[in-house]
Amino acid sequence: MPKFQNQTISFLTKRFREVGLRPVSKHGQNFLIDMNLLDMIVRSADLGPQDVVLEIGTGTGSLTTRMAAEAGHVITVEIDEHLYTLASEELFEFENVTMLQFDVLKNKNAFRPEVMETIKEKLAEIPGGRLKLAANLPYNVATPILSNLLRSEITPVSMTATIQKEVAERIIAVPSTKDYGALSIWMQSQCRCEIVRILPPGVFWPRPKIDSAIINLHVDEELRGRIADREFFHQFTRAIFFHRRKFLRSVLISAFKDRLDKTQVDEVIEANGLQPDARAEQFTPDEVLAMSEMFRLKLQAVGLG
């Protein structure tokens, strides 16, 4: 049976020296060197034979090997061709691992089509197959990956990842706090969100300058079912936080300037008892969702929905 790789500092420095590599900061290459934390990610992801796991950032394959022992299949994506080659040497024994070498994102708003096609293919091979994300995410793509996966055509069951602590705090933030914003609402309106563990810089090599966190996001289909138009809700949420310190009426007029005039915006505000001098950060995710639906219906009523 294939053995787990122990991704220690000595292992990493030796392997990188052997092949003449250095970690590439632009790719967010910070390797988790605490084996207990790698195991914690796997436990938190709660993997089983029905699960197709998407891992972004293969690294040297240490987390990949652990997940492959539990999951039905692991699709692991690595942007760095040299790391891809390095990881291939560690993963060749695992028949339930598919390695891909490219940038997982087509752009900041969408996944590369090849990733979605591979996920569909592997899900079809497993009766009752379900998608989960589990990864030590590169810092520079953590937010678009988590956010975009909830917009994609294939809904994950859960997302478990190491990300920047500040991003994790934004995801779980409550109204009227500095961290609360569009990301908080987007994630909380569809997931049950939990920070599993805060990670200091010393558990990574090279050491990042900031703390990290393992976050666990369980997608709640009941919550998601309340969103009539997910893309409209996503755009609405981003729009009302674009100028987060402005009053609600001003923000809404700006957000709909090409589709609704000021009188029509005021009609929605007055008909639904909204406070025009409130700020977006005061509203709960449920309240923002309700507000979004008010304006979606208004656009339909004037023939622009």
Side-chain angles (χ1 to χ4, degrees):
M1 180 178 178
K3 294 181 179 180
F4 293 161
Q5 176 212 104
N6 288 322
Q7 185 172 266
T8 60
I9 289 182
S10 59
F11 169 84
L12 288 169
T13 52
K14 178 175 180 290
R15 288 296 282 131
F16 273 62
R17 187 168 58 249
E18 286 172 351
V19 294
L21 291 180
R22 289 184 176 182
V24 181
S25 58
K26 73 175 181 178
H27 294 328
Q29 290 177 0
N30 300 96
F31 303 94
L32 195 54
I33 56 175
D34 187 317
M35 300 305 104
N36 291 325
L37 294 175
L38 285 172
D39 292 335
M40 181 178 288
I41 294 171
V42 178
R43 286 197 306 274
S44 298
D46 191 24
L47 303 177
Q50 284 184 297
D51 297 325
V52 172
V53 181
L54 176 62
E55 179 190 25
I56 295 156
T58 312
T60 62
S62 187
L63 178 59
T64 321
T65 60
R66 285 165 166 77
M67 297 194 296
E70 305 288 338
H73 201 91
V74 179
I75 300 165
T76 184
V77 188
E78 176 57 56
I79 192 172
D80 188 311
E81 61 179 319
H82 301 295
L83 269 184
Y84 174 85
T85 301
L86 191 71
S88 298
E89 298 174 11
E90 306 294 334
L91 298 171
F92 75 96
E93 293 184 69
F94 290 86
E95 296 180 355
N96 65 334
V97 173
T98 297
M99 297 184 67
L100 302 175
Q101 196 271 302
F102 44 59
D103 188 339
V104 72
L105 294 173
K106 177 183 177 182
N107 54 53
K108 66 179 182 179
N109 296 315
F111 279 86
R112 197 176 177 119
E114 295 95 319
V115 177
M116 292 295 113
E117 290 304 315
T118 305
I119 291 170
K120 287 179 186 176
E121 176 187 325
K122 297 307 175 183
L123 285 172
E125 293 175 1
I126 299 175
R130 55 190 189 176
L131 174 64
K132 291 184 176 179
L133 172 80
N136 175 25
L137 287 178
Y139 285 162
N140 57 334
V141 294
T143 299
I145 283 171
L146 295 175
S147 180
N148 288 332
L149 199 52
L150 289 178
R151 299 173 65 200
S152 72
E153 57 187 307
I154 306 169
T155 307
V157 172
S158 65
M159 300 184 286
T160 306
T162 60
I163 60 176
Q164 306 100 309
K165 176 174 174 275
E166 64 183 54
V167 174
E169 290 174 338
R170 284 166 53 203
I171 288 173
I172 68 165
V174 297
S176 300
T177 61
K178 67 178 179 64
D179 292 321
Y180 186 71
L183 182 64
S184 320
I185 292 168
W186 177 244
M187 304 306 279
Q188 292 176 33
S189 65
Q190 301 173 76
C191 303
R192 289 176 280 114
C193 309
E194 174 194 11
I195 292 179
V196 177
R197 177 73 67 87
I198 302 298
L199 308 179
V203 301
F204 294 93
W205 178 83
R207 289 189 178 205
K209 296 179 180 179
I210 56 175
D211 286 342
S212 305
I214 300 173
I215 195 158
N216 190 249
L217 308 168
H218 277 278
V219 177
D220 188 320
E221 289 301 333
E222 186 175 340
L223 287 177
R224 276 172 65 89
R226 302 178 310 162
I227 306 173
D229 185 329
R230 195 165 291 109
E231 190 58 29
F232 182 87
F233 176 56
H234 183 258
Q235 297 300 329
F236 178 86
T237 302
R238 292 180 64 188
I240 65 170
F241 277 92
F242 192 73
H243 299 290
R244 62 180 295 140
R245 298 305 300 163
K246 286 189 175 182
F247 290 137
L248 182 65
R249 179 177 182 269
S250 175
V251 168
L252 290 169
I253 288 171
S254 176
F256 292 101
K257 62 183 178 182
D258 297 325
R259 292 177 287 176
L260 299 173
D261 60 31
K262 292 181 181 180
T263 301
Q264 291 170 320
V265 170
D266 285 337
E267 287 171 356
V268 178
I269 289 173
E270 292 167 11
N272 294 281
L274 299 174
Q275 297 298 317
D277 58 350
R279 291 187 171 91
E281 63 190 21
Q282 296 174 240
F283 294 91
T284 67
D286 285 352
E287 290 169 336
V288 173
L289 176 57
M291 195 189 312
S292 168
E293 187 64 4
M294 296 168 196
F295 279 92
R296 189 181 73 85
L297 295 174
K298 181 65 173 180
L299 288 172
Q300 285 185 346
V302 298
L304 294 174

